[in-house]
Amino acid sequence: SNGTNVNWPPEFCPGVPWKGLQNIDP
Amino acid sequence: QEPLTASMLAAAPLKEQKQLLGERLYPLIQMLHPVVAGKITGMLLEIDNSELLHMLESPESLHAKVEEAVAVLQAHQAKE
């Protein structure tokens, strides 16, 4: 795919669990 | 609010580590770029925790990283 992932970047909102963890879980 | 230390971070599970860092970084980034603070914080959280801790202690390195992330975000949005 041409890499334009519309869910990127995984936005951070204070007080809301950050959604980007699945990208970095070892 | 006492500064976030490496030992505090190490005591937390990975999921909470990123949340702790995000909660500290977000207000600092919001002062620089209020509109895209959430996106920039989300981008920076993908960086290694030790570097994020350093950025919390050093405003210059935080500022440099934020500007870098803004440029990447703008390039990404231009591509879409």
Side-chain angles (χ1 to χ4, degrees):
Chain A
S1 79
N2 60 358
T4 54
N5 171 357
V6 287
N7 297 322
W8 189 84
E11 196 152 351
F12 178 86
C13 303
V16 176
W18 181 51
K19 296 176 285 302
L21 272 169
Q22 58 267 10
N23 306 348
I24 50 164
D25 255 349
Chain B
Q1 190 176 32
E2 83 284 7
L4 186 61
T5 62
S7 46
M8 283 163 71
L9 216 50
L14 176 70
K15 289 189 185 308
E16 280 174 41
Q17 289 176 8
K18 289 300 184 187
Q19 198 64 29
L20 280 169
L21 287 160
E23 300 289 352
R24 297 297 177 100
L25 285 168
Y26 182 85
L28 302 175
I29 295 171
Q30 201 180 28
M31 286 190 281
L32 296 168
H33 294 280
V35 173
V36 290
K39 290 187 189 308
I40 298 301
T41 307
M43 290 169 72
L44 295 185
L45 282 177
E46 294 179 336
I47 299 174
D48 185 70
N49 288 0
S50 52
E51 185 159 353
L52 293 173
L53 271 178
H54 171 66
M55 285 157 53
L56 281 172
E57 288 150 8
S58 153
E60 304 77 42
S61 57
L62 174 66
H63 201 137
K65 271 293 176 205
V66 166
E67 295 313 314
E68 208 177 291
V70 168
V72 169
L73 181 64
Q74 284 167 349
H76 176 78
Q77 288 171 337
K79 215 171 34 170
E80 281 186 327

